[in-house]
Amino acid sequence: MTEEIIVKPSDRSITKDVVFGHVMKDPEICLELLQSILPQLNLKSVKEVTAQRLIDAGLEEKSVRLDIMAEDNEGRLFDIEMQVVRQEYIGKRLRYYQSKMDTLTLKPGMRYDEIKDTYIIFLCPYDPFYRNRTRYEFSSREDHDPSIKLETGAHWIFLNSKGEDKNINKGLQQFLDLMNGKIDISSTFIARINKEIDHYVGSPEWEADKMKLQTMLQDTERERAIEDLKKAANRIRKYETNEEEVFKALKEDYHDDFSDDQIRKYMDETK
């Protein structure tokens, strides 16, 4: 018998970054969620479950921070993203995520067939494609003959917790319901997650994790500001060849974020 408790969105919601990251760091919980999403893989175990994994490409490239990164017993990689805000250009964003995950799997001297299979999974409390479906999956197929498929080993999955078709297994539906604030206490899996959240929220670890996440988000915003400044420098140089004038133009826009020395430093990095 289903026993549901309805809770309002709060700091204890599974959709909150720190809560989701803490809960999914538990290999058994992460494994059970992946098993419900991908039952066809017959997953036996996961290892090296990491929350907020930063794939740092340096200042010249955009870094990627993955919500949950896990590897299973066969070496397959899983990125699970709790995506609560609708994003523009989601296809290109996924393409970039994929490229950075591939850099983790293919090392110099390895063959292309040694690239590990990867699964990027977006958990969304909204419909990303406006079709009222719960699950969307994407693969590489020939435009004119869909029976022809490129075996890339890359898999992209979107799960919409507000989907109306409910054409998924019970365990996954219970997790999506949890995202919507419905706690099915008859489910041992959901009850375990709920108990873990109860122990975590309000604890010193929770407070520390919130502070750490805030710092990481600030760092990400700073990386974006640096990237914007560099692009602006190159735009200005299209009509202004005097570097001192370029500096003055950048300082006018970025003096609140960077010192004079920092502006000159990032200007030099774009030459």
Side-chain angles (χ1 to χ4, degrees):
M1 178 179 177
T2 298
E3 299 178 66
E4 286 185 348
I5 300 173
I6 309 298
V7 297
K8 296 180 179 180
S10 67
D11 281 344
R12 73 174 315 284
S13 172
I14 192 66
T15 61
K16 293 290 185 180
D17 282 338
V18 292
V19 175
F20 180 69
H22 173 81
V23 169
M24 288 300 141
K25 279 192 299 185
D26 184 319
E28 293 184 8
I29 291 178
C30 183
L31 174 62
E32 190 159 350
L33 177 59
L34 287 172
Q35 287 172 331
S36 69
I37 296 172
L38 300 160
Q40 72 275 16
L41 296 186
N42 296 313
L43 296 169
K44 304 301 181 185
S45 65
V46 292
K47 58 182 179 179
E48 299 182 14
V49 180
T50 307
Q52 295 296 329
R53 170 70 181 273
L54 177 66
I55 304 177
D56 191 359
L59 286 176
E60 295 303 315
E61 297 182 47
K62 185 178 179 66
S63 299
V64 170
R65 192 179 302 279
L66 308 181
D67 281 358
I68 293 293
M69 182 83 167
E71 182 178 351
D72 81 334
N73 53 297
E74 295 187 15
R76 294 171 291 204
L77 294 179
F78 303 87
D79 167 31
I80 312 174
E81 299 287 320
M82 181 62 73
Q83 192 66 47
V84 297
V85 178
R86 189 181 296 276
Q87 298 285 337
E88 290 187 300
Y89 314 115
I90 191 64
K92 291 187 176 180
R93 184 176 180 210
L94 273 167
R95 174 181 166 186
Y96 195 72
Y97 272 45
Q98 185 66 57
S99 71
K100 295 308 170 187
M101 289 185 71
D102 288 341
T103 64
L104 298 176
T105 71
L106 189 64
K107 305 301 180 184
M110 293 176 63
R111 302 186 310 272
Y112 288 116
D113 64 338
E114 294 180 281
I115 296 179
K116 297 177 181 178
D117 284 3
T118 57
Y119 295 79
I120 301 178
I121 302 163
F122 274 51
L123 302 172
C124 308
Y126 58 86
D127 190 333
F129 303 106
Y130 305 100
R131 296 293 189 276
N132 295 322
R133 286 169 49 190
T134 303
R135 186 182 185 111
Y136 301 90
E137 297 186 58
F138 296 86
S139 61
S140 300
R141 294 187 181 274
E142 207 278 326
D143 288 347
H144 304 286
D145 184 353
S147 68
I148 302 174
K149 180 180 178 181
L150 285 175
E151 297 300 334
T152 64
H155 308 268
W156 298 351
I157 300 168
F158 291 82
L159 295 168
N160 164 30
S161 69
K162 301 295 197 302
E164 297 179 0
D165 54 356
K166 310 295 183 183
N167 189 26
I168 55 176
N169 61 68
K170 183 177 180 181
L172 180 53
Q173 185 61 62
Q174 289 170 330
F175 184 85
L176 297 182
D177 286 342
L178 179 64
M179 289 174 56
N180 296 333
K182 301 176 183 178
I183 303 174
D184 185 351
I185 59 177
S186 68
S187 163
T188 55
F189 179 49
I190 299 303
R192 179 177 179 180
I193 291 176
N194 195 48
K195 183 178 180 181
E196 185 63 34
I197 293 173
D198 284 341
H199 288 162
Y200 175 61
V201 174
S203 69
E205 181 185 1
W206 176 68
E207 295 288 355
D209 286 347
K210 286 200 301 180
M211 184 67 69
K212 180 180 178 182
L213 180 60
Q214 182 62 35
T215 299
M216 287 192 297
L217 291 175
Q218 290 172 347
D219 290 343
T220 299
E221 288 300 317
R222 185 169 182 81
E223 289 174 7
R224 290 174 180 167
I226 292 172
E227 183 181 350
D228 288 345
L229 185 151
K230 289 181 175 181
K231 290 179 179 178
N234 285 331
R235 285 197 303 269
I236 295 169
R237 287 188 179 114
K238 290 180 180 179
Y239 60 84
E240 177 58 71
T241 58
N242 186 308
E243 285 295 293
E244 193 59 31
E245 294 301 319
V246 174
F247 166 75
K248 290 179 180 178
L250 290 172
K251 182 176 179 179
E252 185 174 343
D253 290 337
Y254 292 94
H255 67 276
D256 287 338
D257 300 312
F258 302 105
S259 67
D260 289 3
D261 288 343
Q262 288 173 327
I263 293 174
R264 294 186 186 280
K265 174 179 179 293
Y266 298 134
M267 282 176 59
D268 289 341
E269 291 177 359
T270 63
K271 292 180 181 178

